Structure formats: structure tokens, C-alpha cells
Amino acid sequence: MRLSRYFLPVLKETPAEAQIASHRLMLRAGMIKQASAGIYSWLPLGYRVLKRIEQIVNEEQIRAGHIPMLMPTLQSADLWRESGRYDDYGEEMLRVTDRHGRDMLYGPTNEELITDIFRSYVKSYKDLPLTLYHIQWKFRDEIRPRFGVMRGREFLMKDGYNFDLTKDDALHAYNRHLVAYLRTYERMGLQAIPMRADGGPIGGDYTHEFLVLADTGESEVFYDSQVTDLTFGDREIDYDDVAQCQGVLDEFTSRYARTDETHDAALFDQIPEERRRVARGIEVGQIFYFGTKYSDALGATVINDKQEQIPVHMGSHGIGVSRLLGAIIEASHDDKGIIWPEGVTPFHCGIVNLRQGDAATDGACADLYAALTRAGLEPLYDDRDERAGAKFATMDLIGLPWRITVGPRGLKNGVVELTSRKTGDSVEVSAEDAVARIVEIYRDI
Amino acid sequence: MRLSRYFLPVLKETPAEAQIASHRLMLRAGMIKQASAGIYSWLPLGYRVLKRIEQIVNEEQIRAGHIPMLMPTLQSADLWRESGRYDDYGEEMLRVTDRHGRDMLYGPTNEELITDIFRSYVKSYKDLPLTLYHIQWKFRDEIRPRFGVMRGREFLMKDGYNFDLTKDDALHAYNRHLVAYLRTYERMGLQAIPMRADGGPIGGDYTHEFLVLADTGESEVFYDSQVTDLTFGDREIDYDDVAQCQGVLDEFTSRYARTDETHDAALFDQIPEERRRVARGIEVGQIFYFGTKYSDALGATVINDKQEQIPVHMGSHGIGVSRLLGAIIEASHDDKGIIWPEGVTPFHCGIVNLRQGDAATDGACADLYAALTRAGLEPLYDDRDERAGAKFATMDLIGLPWRITVGPRGLKNGVVELTSRKTGDSVEVSAEDAVARIVEIYRDI
């Protein structure tokens, strides 16, 4: 993309309403614009990151054998009356009345609707196991929306639902989700720690929240420092292998790691003192096993191999897709701007032309752009008629991991400058080498 | 995808509530399930087609130089009061009140919101031209939703908005959209005819609707039969070339083609009688140039090169993404089920195993599946323990364009059967040839 033809409205001023870094930087980098309280338009740059995050979530869900579909944003109130949650949910549920006076609501989650779909079609244990998921906009009418996309009202969430014949099968689905989530967050450059949590309005005794450590996190967390040494890495997983998935769960959840809702001071004190950590965390996902809570309420049963009609065991599993942008920025920025991990960057690299209008530098930049594009990468070429300082400031603010700087002096020596946004380190290399290095960096991402 | 692990709830009975073929077939093929009146869940098969259509729309918009972003579903009423449309829109607009008593609405379209974004950031003619678009769920509270996704209440639409300095520039944007839309529909296997239409609540004198001819269409249309001889084909287009885009518009709109709203009987009668056609059409898109209607109302101005502050010229351009599934099925089905055009099919081909459990046929099917997958294609393998007749009926119903049938008798002779859903014609070829043919068919799609 050539910046002269793009829409990237960066702001020079820091918006007064933004209290945390991610909110400030998303506004300043022209990623989002508030449409009304807690509701945002995703400007082109922000939208690109949102789509990349969505794509990673999708790929990892499909890899785990889960099936994508899509439920609508507006739901009938009837199903929520059937489950008993219509009145329980309180003022965070946005209630709507249509022109015929029917009670509807903007879905804050989808246990009822997915269970209705399941009970309409699935009658036999032979059709199990089944895990369906979707990525859809949700609404929670927060009394005080704040922190930008971190606590918005209209937000994008991946929510998945497993249907299983037995508790053991459902716990395997739970473990599968834990594994898939670990992979998902790591691909985004995040360390998200599974912590024992509370079921809240979804319900269920088995539940883990995934938290990214950050000073601006909304939750106080308590953990054994050994948990931060764990990484999933590039190990191979067979999602049908019950023992293997259980092994990953055991490895990642056996050490103490809890949110304040489930914190147990006595247990915590048993950790050697030098490993005890109290910090703050941003919740980026949660998995639940809640047994037959919804299948009982809504009559979601199957016939088992003994011809008995039994309720299915269920769980639900969510990732806060739009809020992840905020979490990633909180975890990865400096005083100049955002530092995108390669997995979610909106463009793979930036090209800065130091002398726009000069035939040689323009030509070299165009060649670089073409070479990167041919290699399947998406560069952002700053071809505006601006000073070098302004171009560097924009690139630093929007946080592309790599920048190639092209100027007349370097070209005379046959080199361009390749700069890491994270370290600030630069090397002078030929244009061909710069392309080859960028291609290599993104090979497995 | 192996069918035994998929969620494809096909129905044997024809649902009583469905009056037209596309609605019936989408229900029977397990593509959608009604959640409430005019609101649908997209089951996995339907969701796949929806995503393919969305992808084609995206690719053609980006090719035309238009920039993707995303606006929220819920909007503040204030902007609509500013444009004067809050009261005008009537009961089709779903009005919502949040917990603080603020008036909001579920966006039926986005002229106000995009104009607000534009006016917040763009101040100079140097930042023009600019065309932004998004693909987002909309809501229109139809009094009698019907015909499935063809006239739903919650529906997915691509809407794009151009901002230009002059009327001429804006008309070039209009032409660019016409070209991009012609390409878009043709890639979906549709002939959509641009017809002179009426501005309706969007406004504007320049507007064309794109209509797919079908007996079940909601609009009566009048046209010169020569318009159906036109195809865009694979011609190359430079979207920056004003004359070339104008040429396409002239070619596709110079003959008489109008909806009943703008029909002129006297003009129509001037067409030679044998070329006069009266038919019905399904509206699948519309483009508008409406000048400064919204920029005047909302104060969206730029400074031109004479330092004058002038309102920008605008247009909006919509494609009914979810309704396209219905339109495609109306145009392409038979009494056995759907016939997907290759451009939008949910899976590239089906594999039918005639003797599930037989080691040789199971092995041959697994090899075929692997070979197609390696070639970048997505087959649907019916590996259920079902009779051949039931497997064929399912494949015909869901409408994959190509089917490979594998049975013990054929394997003895070293052949499988490759069948076209459209013609019903079969050929016996080796498994390698079957893969090669399928790969060839999808090479340019």
C-alpha cells in the first residue's frame, strides 16, 4: 500500500480522554475512532490488525477440529427466558423491542442460541463430539465504558461451544481449547497465562481465564513465577490425542496461578517466597466446562447407545478478539508508539523514501515494493512529500516491526537501511538482501 | 472436510414456511436456521458460501483501489438527527435505548457515520480522492420479512463511500464501482444487469441498480434484450483510467434497462419489438452519486487549491452480500438441489465412497482427499456409513459443482467417476486425472 493513497489519519496530539497507552496509541495511530461511548469505528489500519487477529484465531480453531459458523447479533428474548438468564443478566444486556413489540436483545454471548441449534438437529450420540464456534460482534452495555477497545460496549468475540456425550469427552474438549488458545496467543506474540477463575454468569466449576500481564490490567493476579517460564513453542499436537492434550493442561495449570476471585492465600503462601508474584493482568480469553446446565434448561439431549435420552455435556470458550489489540499494545509499545509482533502487524514492513521525487530513490523504492509484493508480503510505502523526521515518526507510531529506509546517499553505495522497530538496530544491506531478510523473518509466521 | 466430522444437518422434509426455491434449499441443505423472524444463524455450510462471497467482494474492491475498514452496527441517533434522516426513516429503522437512556439505532446504512469520520480527519483536497468501504451487518425492521435471506431483517451488506473534490471525480468513482461490481457478480457466476433506478431514501439522481433476472424477483424490469448479451469477461482494467471506466459504463448502460420505478413506456416502445423484454429481477446491488447532500448537511468540507472551503462530492455503493446467496440459488438450481457456480462453492468437490469400510475404497478416497488438499483445494468427503443413494442425494442437494465417486468396481479397472453437478455428465478417469481436471477447473477461479 502506498501511503499517499491510503487513509491513515495519525494524530499529533494525545487525546485527552485516553487514560492508558493502548487507547492513546490506537487513537493517535489512526486505528480507531470512537463512534459513541464504548463503540468504535475501525479505521483502515486498525481493521487490518483486527482481521489478522481474527485469522489466527480461525486457523487455530480449525486446526483443533472446531467448526466455524455464524450466529446473528440480535436474539429473541424467548430463549433467554427459557434458560432463566433474561432477568438474571441485568442492565448489561441491551434489550431491544422491534416494530411488532417483540422483546429482543443484542447478544452478549450465545449459549442459548447455540443450544437451540443443537437441539433442533442433533438426536444421536453418533453425531458427537461436536464443537461449533463463531466470531461475531457482541454488546454489553457497560455502565462506564473506558480504555478504548479494552472495555468497549460493542466488541468482537470468538465464542465456541462443545457438545459431548460424557463429562470425560467434554473435559477433552476443554483441554483442546486450552491447547488451541495457548497456540493462538503465542502466535500473536503474547504470553497469556491460564489462571483458575470464577464461572460468573456463564457458570461452571472448571474454568480458566487467560491473562496477559500488564500494569494496566483490570484483574489482580497471583502466581508462581515458574508459570512465566512455560512456552508452548512449536511442538506438534494431535488434537484427538486425549492424553497429549491432558498433558499440556497439566503442564500449564499445575502451578499456582489465580485471579483475585479464586485466590487462596494459604495455598499461595506454600510457594517459595522468591517465586510468589502479585501483579495485574488483562483477560483475553476464558474457557468453561459447565456440564448440563444449558442442556438441562433447554432440553438438549441425545439418545445414547443404550437407547437412553440424556442431556449433553457442554462448555463454552471465548477469546476477546477486539480487546486483544489493546492487550497486545499494552504488552508491546514504547514512548514512540506501538511495536507490533510480526504475527499481527498490519503491514509486514515499511518503506521510507528519504527524497521523494528523486528519480533514483523513487525507482529504488518502487522496485523494493514490487519485490516484497511478489514475495507475498504487504509493505506500506511512505511515498508522501514529507520530511524524513515526519516519516520516521509515523512509522514508529504505527509500529511496523521492520523499516527499510531508502536515500540517495545509501543508493550511491548500493545499500538501503533495514531497521528493527523493537531494538532500533539498523544494518546497511543491498536492497536484495533486505528483501531476502524480510522474507525469511515472515517465512513461518 | 470429512462429513463424519462436520455439521451438515440436511432436512428430508421441505419446510412449509419457505415459499421460494432458495429459501427451501438453504433450509434443506443445512445452510441456515431461522433464529427469529427475518434473522438467521449461518450453519457451517452456509457460512462457507457467505465467506466466499465476502472474499470476492473484498478482492474486487481492493483491486479498484477502495480501502476496507469497519464501522459498528450500533450508531448514535445524533448523527441521524443532523442529516435529518432520523425521523424520515420510519419504522424500518430499529431504534434502541441504552441503559443511560441515550437514543441509538442499529445501522441500516452508513452515510452519516462515514461522513462524520471523513469530516473529523480530512481537511485538504490533497487527501482526495478517497473511497472507504466496509462489510458489516445491518438491520432493517421489515414489516413482513420473508424469502429467507432475500428479505431478512439482519443482513450483511458491503457499503462503500467515495469522497471527491469535483462532480467529475465523483462520477469517475461511480464508474469505477460499476466496473468493480460487474467483475464481482461475474466471478460469482451471475449476470447482474445495471438498470436505471430511483434514489429512494439514500437520494441522488445518478443511480443504477444491479438486477439478476429471476421469476421470483421482487422488481418488475424492462430491458432491451441486447443487454443480456454483454459480458465483462477477462478484460484488463486500469481503475485510474477515467476514459476506460467511462467506456465500460457507456457500454453497459446505453441500452434501455430500467426497473418499474423509472420505467418510461414511450422510450421502451422505441426498442424494436422483438428485443423488448419484461421480466422480474432480484436486486443485488446499487450505486449512487448524490453530490453534496450529506456533506452539506454534516459539514464535510475541504480546502481546495484556491484556499476555498467547499463541500465534497459523494456517492455510496452497496452490495447485498447475504442476499446474494439467495439470488445465486434462484439463478442456479434444479429439482434435486443447488448448483453452485465454481466461484462461490462451499467445497471445491465432493468425494463419495460407495463402500465405506472397504479397505481399498477407503484408501483410494483418503489418497484423493490428500491429493486435492495438497493442491490447495477443499474437498468434502462423504465418509459416512450410508447407502450410495443417500450420499448422492446429499451431494446433489448441497450442490458442489464436481463429484468424484469411488467404488470397488471402478477401482478394479483403475478408474473413478467424475461427475458435473450442472450437466449430470460423468466420465471415468484415473484418480490422478480426476485430481488434475479439478485443479485445472479451479486454476483461475
Side-chain angles (χ1 to χ4, degrees), chain B residues 315-370:
Chain B
S316 69
H317 314 277
I319 290 181
V321 173
S322 49
R323 115 181 303 237
L324 268 167
L325 278 94
I328 293 168
I329 296 174
E330 289 297 329
S332 185
H333 70 274
D334 62 17
D335 54 359
K336 293 182 198 161
I338 302 164
I339 306 170
W340 290 116
E342 274 103 359
V344 299
T345 182
F347 294 96
H348 296 102
C349 74
I351 301 173
V352 167
N353 184 337
L354 292 180
R355 194 171 294 170
Q356 206 70 44
D358 175 78
T361 50
D362 288 3
C365 287
D367 290 348
L368 259 176
Y369 187 90

Side-chain angles (χ1 to χ4, degrees), chain B residues 237-286:
Chain B
I237 277 283
D238 173 359
Y239 281 101
D240 290 334
D241 186 328
V242 171
Q244 198 183 20
C245 292
Q246 180 69 46
V248 175
L249 178 112
D250 293 342
E251 178 185 346
F252 279 83
T253 64
S254 60
R255 292 173 189 80
Y256 191 93
R258 297 192 178 191
T259 63
D260 50 4
E261 292 162 341
T262 56
H263 179 53
D264 180 328
L267 273 179
F268 188 60
D269 286 344
Q270 292 171 22
I271 307 169
E273 193 171 356
E274 71 278 11
R275 285 176 17 210
R276 277 181 231 150
R277 296 287 185 280
V278 180
R280 300 201 71 82
I282 300 168
E283 189 207 327
V284 292
Q286 189 160 5

Side-chain angles (χ1 to χ4, degrees), chain B residues 179-243:
Chain B
V179 175
Y181 280 26
L182 289 172
R183 284 185 60 103
T184 300
Y185 297 122
E186 281 196 19
R187 283 186 62 187
M188 297 176 190
L190 281 180
Q191 181 171 49
I193 305 167
M195 297 196 180
R196 187 176 292 198
D198 182 72
I202 306 283
D205 294 333
Y206 288 75
T207 177
H208 282 90
E209 250 177 40
F210 289 78
L211 288 113
V212 174
L213 300 176
D215 294 341
T216 47
E218 75 274 50
S219 313
E220 189 167 29
V221 297
F222 304 83
Y223 62 94
D224 179 336
S225 68
Q226 288 188 337
V227 300
T228 55
D229 299 334
L230 299 168
T231 55
F232 189 81
D234 53 5
R235 58 182 106 176
E236 292 285 320
I237 277 283
D238 173 359
Y239 281 101
D240 290 334
D241 186 328
V242 171

Side-chain angles (χ1 to χ4, degrees), chain B residues 63-345:
Chain B
R63 196 192 305 270
H66 306 156
I67 303 173
M69 59 171 297
L70 190 65
M71 288 172 273
T73 62
L74 291 194
Q75 303 180 20
S76 159
D78 295 343
L79 277 175
W80 289 72
R81 293 202 175 98
E82 217 175 320
S83 73
R85 287 207 292 180
Y86 187 67
D87 295 320
D88 292 356
Y89 221 94
E91 288 204 87
E92 280 196 11
M93 178 189 279
L94 187 71
R95 290 148 212 267
V96 182
T97 307
D98 75 7
R99 69 190 294 175
H100 296 297
R102 285 175 295 216
D103 290 334
M104 307 192 67
L105 55 97
Y106 199 123
T109 176
N110 285 65
E111 282 78 11
E112 285 78 1
L113 197 48
I114 195 77
T115 306
D116 178 55
I117 289 169
F118 180 88
R119 72 180 176 184
S120 302
Y121 298 113
V122 182
K123 307 295 176 195
S124 162
Y125 74 99
K126 291 181 190 167
D127 294 324
L128 304 182
L130 179 64
T131 297
L132 298 165
Y133 79 94
H134 74 159
I135 299 178
Q136 177 61 293
W137 292 91
K138 312 282 192 296
F139 201 92
R140 287 185 193 154
D141 203 357
E142 296 269 356
I143 190 158
R144 269 184 300 278
R146 58 197 160 137
F147 303 151
V149 300
M150 296 272 278
R151 184 165 294 207
R153 295 198 292 167
E154 186 169 326
F155 60 98
L156 188 61
M157 190 166 100
K158 171 259 158 183
D159 43 324
Y161 304 87
N162 66 285
F163 300 90
D164 287 281
L165 186 62
T166 65
K167 180 175 176 180
D168 278 352
D169 290 350
L171 289 178
H172 173 53
Y174 185 90
N175 298 350
R176 222 167 45 224
H177 280 88
L178 182 124
V179 175
Y181 280 26
L182 289 172
R183 284 185 60 103
T184 300
Y185 297 122
E186 281 196 19
R187 283 186 62 187
M188 297 176 190
L190 281 180
Q191 181 171 49
I193 305 167
M195 297 196 180
R196 187 176 292 198
D198 182 72
I202 306 283
D205 294 333
Y206 288 75
T207 177
H208 282 90
E209 250 177 40
F210 289 78
L211 288 113
V212 174
L213 300 176
D215 294 341
T216 47
E218 75 274 50
S219 313
E220 189 167 29
V221 297
F222 304 83
Y223 62 94
D224 179 336
S225 68
Q226 288 188 337
V227 300
T228 55
D229 299 334
L230 299 168
T231 55
F232 189 81
D234 53 5
R235 58 182 106 176
E236 292 285 320
I237 277 283
D238 173 359
Y239 281 101
D240 290 334
D241 186 328
V242 171
Q244 198 183 20
C245 292
Q246 180 69 46
V248 175
L249 178 112
D250 293 342
E251 178 185 346
F252 279 83
T253 64
S254 60
R255 292 173 189 80
Y256 191 93
R258 297 192 178 191
T259 63
D260 50 4
E261 292 162 341
T262 56
H263 179 53
D264 180 328
L267 273 179
F268 188 60
D269 286 344
Q270 292 171 22
I271 307 169
E273 193 171 356
E274 71 278 11
R275 285 176 17 210
R276 277 181 231 150
R277 296 287 185 280
V278 180
R280 300 201 71 82
I282 300 168
E283 189 207 327
V284 292
Q286 189 160 5
I287 55 178
F288 299 90
Y289 161 70
F290 42 65
T292 58
K293 175 178 172 178
Y294 296 93
S295 45
D296 281 335
L298 296 164
T301 60
V302 293
I303 304 287
N304 69 10
D305 59 355
K306 300 183 190 70
Q307 299 298 314
E308 299 158 340
Q309 189 151 336
I310 57 168
V312 289
H313 288 258
M314 292 176 57
S316 69
H317 314 277
I319 290 181
V321 173
S322 49
R323 115 181 303 237
L324 268 167
L325 278 94
I328 293 168
I329 296 174
E330 289 297 329
S332 185
H333 70 274
D334 62 17
D335 54 359
K336 293 182 198 161
I338 302 164
I339 306 170
W340 290 116
E342 274 103 359
V344 299
T345 182

Side-chain angles (χ1 to χ4, degrees), chain A residues 1 5-7 9 11 32-33 35-37 39-44 47 50-51 54 58 67-76 91-92 94-100 102 104 106 113 116-117 120-122 130 132 136-137 139 141-144 153-154 240, chain B residues 1 5-7 9 11 32-33 35-37 39-44 47 50-51 54 58 67-76 91-92 94-100 102 104 106 113 116-117 120-122 130 132 136-137 139 141-144 153-154 240:
Chain A
M1 178 60 63
R5 307 193 75 164
Y6 202 48
F7 181 58
L11 304 180
I32 53 170
K33 178 184 189 301
S36 41
I39 303 179
Y40 291 87
S41 290
W42 295 78
L43 303 180
Y47 181 63
L50 189 70
K51 293 309 278 183
E54 202 181 319
N58 262 319
I67 302 173
M69 58 170 298
L70 189 66
M71 287 173 273
T73 60
L74 290 195
Q75 304 181 20
S76 160
E91 287 205 87
E92 280 197 10
L94 187 70
R95 291 149 211 266
V96 181
T97 307
D98 75 7
R99 68 190 294 174
H100 296 296
R102 285 177 294 218
M104 308 193 65
Y106 199 123
L113 197 48
D116 178 56
I117 290 170
S120 302
Y121 298 114
V122 181
L130 179 64
L132 298 165
Q136 177 61 293
W137 292 91
F139 201 92
D141 202 357
E142 297 269 356
I143 190 157
R144 268 184 301 278
R153 295 198 294 166
E154 186 169 327
D240 290 335
Chain B
M1 177 59 65
R5 306 193 75 162
Y6 202 48
F7 181 60
L11 304 179
I32 54 171
K33 179 183 190 301
S36 41
I39 303 180
Y40 291 87
S41 290
W42 295 78
L43 303 180
Y47 181 63
L50 189 69
K51 293 309 278 184
E54 203 181 319
N58 262 319
I67 303 173
M69 59 171 297
L70 190 65
M71 288 172 273
T73 62
L74 291 194
Q75 303 180 20
S76 159
E91 288 204 87
E92 280 196 11
L94 187 71
R95 290 148 212 267
V96 182
T97 307
D98 75 7
R99 69 190 294 175
H100 296 297
R102 285 175 295 216
M104 307 192 67
Y106 199 123
L113 197 48
D116 178 55
I117 289 169
S120 302
Y121 298 113
V122 182
L130 179 64
L132 298 165
Q136 177 61 293
W137 292 91
F139 201 92
D141 203 357
E142 296 269 356
I143 190 158
R144 269 184 300 278
R153 295 198 292 167
E154 186 169 326
D240 290 334

